[in-house]
Amino acid sequence: AANLPDPFFATDEGDPLTEHESEVMRRFLAYQVEQGSLLILAQKQESVVGMSFVDIKARQAPDTVIKTSQPAGIVERVRSLIEHQGIGQALLTNAEDLILQADLLVSEVGVSAKNLRARRIYERAGYVPRVFDAEERLPDFEGFPIYRYWRPNCILFKELY
């Protein structure tokens, strides 16, 4: 996480973070991996050009905010520095494979309600919108509030079995 380029730590709307915010996000990502999230990196000519991570534990916790009828994994922060070369799709496919390998049956992904392009991409990949405007706050990290989902949003699900 420490060596990932800054564009991976932009807001969902693509706005850059401050240097301090980027550093906090790097540490948070490292913490998430330590807690069991799985980091996926895409490389091209020895440069990291894409990343995502998968949380395979959150939806199995009894206090989870979003309830699913089947065991689910959460695909988070699918980011690609190069568009139209299949990197985002490869990251998503790898994330779904990791979810299946963890014996989970459903993949979950959330997008900002304003990000219609991302929503269309996920829908073409078989995801169905099911939850709207949910808010899910994770425990604060280093004094910063951390949200998995904040309003307005759309949470999509795909059955993998």
Side-chain angles (χ1 to χ4, degrees), residues 75 78 88-93 96 107 109 117-129 156-160:
V75 180
V78 176
Q89 182 60 50
L91 288 166
L92 184 59
T93 299
E96 292 171 354
S107 178
V109 65
R117 180 174 176 255
R119 181 172 166 177
R120 284 192 300 270
I121 288 169
Y122 289 120
E123 287 176 347
R124 280 195 304 267
Y127 286 77
V128 177
L156 302 95
F157 297 87
K158 179 180 179 180
E159 295 177 350
L160 302 176

Side-chain angles (χ1 to χ4, degrees), residues 54-57 59-60 67-75 95-109 125-128 130 156-161:
V54 179
D55 184 330
I56 58 172
K57 295 182 178 181
R59 290 296 170 250
Q60 283 53 255
K67 306 291 185 192
T68 58
S69 61
Q70 299 289 335
I74 306 166
V75 180
E96 292 171 354
D97 288 346
L98 289 171
I99 290 168
L100 281 171
Q101 289 174 27
D103 294 326
L104 305 175
L105 303 174
V106 174
S107 178
E108 169 187 327
V109 65
Y127 286 77
V128 177
R130 295 221 172 108
L156 302 95
F157 297 87
K158 179 180 179 180
E159 295 177 350
L160 302 176
Y161 53 95

Side-chain angles (χ1 to χ4, degrees), residues 4-159:
L4 291 173
D6 283 341
F8 290 123
F9 299 104
T11 67
D12 286 342
E13 286 77 29
D15 300 322
L17 301 178
T18 66
E19 185 176 327
H20 179 68
E21 290 169 331
S22 289
E23 289 306 315
V24 170
M25 287 301 295
R26 290 174 200 285
R27 290 192 300 275
F28 178 69
L29 179 56
Y31 170 78
Q32 288 291 95
V33 171
E34 289 171 9
Q35 298 301 306
S37 289
L38 306 169
L39 178 64
I40 304 168
L41 298 176
Q43 289 187 295
K44 184 174 184 177
Q45 299 173 349
E46 299 184 30
S47 294
V48 176
V49 296
M51 68 145 298
S52 182
F53 64 99
V54 179
D55 184 330
I56 58 172
K57 295 182 178 181
R59 290 296 170 250
Q60 283 53 255
D63 61 346
T64 186
V65 173
I66 309 290
K67 306 291 185 192
T68 58
S69 61
Q70 299 289 335
I74 306 166
V75 180
E76 301 194 72
R77 300 197 73 80
V78 176
R79 297 279 193 265
S80 175
L81 298 181
I82 303 171
E83 293 194 10
H84 308 295
Q85 292 190 16
I87 294 168
Q89 182 60 50
L91 288 166
L92 184 59
T93 299
N94 277 280
E96 292 171 354
D97 288 346
L98 289 171
I99 290 168
L100 281 171
Q101 289 174 27
D103 294 326
L104 305 175
L105 303 174
V106 174
S107 178
E108 169 187 327
V109 65
V111 298
S112 165
K114 298 175 189 174
N115 194 343
L116 297 178
R117 180 174 176 255
R119 181 172 166 177
R120 284 192 300 270
I121 288 169
Y122 289 120
E123 287 176 347
R124 280 195 304 267
Y127 286 77
V128 177
R130 295 221 172 108
V131 178
F132 300 90
D133 291 332
E135 183 172 282
E136 183 174 13
R137 184 172 176 170
L138 304 177
D140 287 358
F141 181 78
E142 296 182 5
F144 286 90
I146 303 290
Y147 289 86
R148 174 170 283 132
Y149 300 127
W150 60 93
R151 296 178 180 104
N153 61 39
C154 174
I155 305 170
L156 302 95
F157 297 87
K158 179 180 179 180
E159 295 177 350

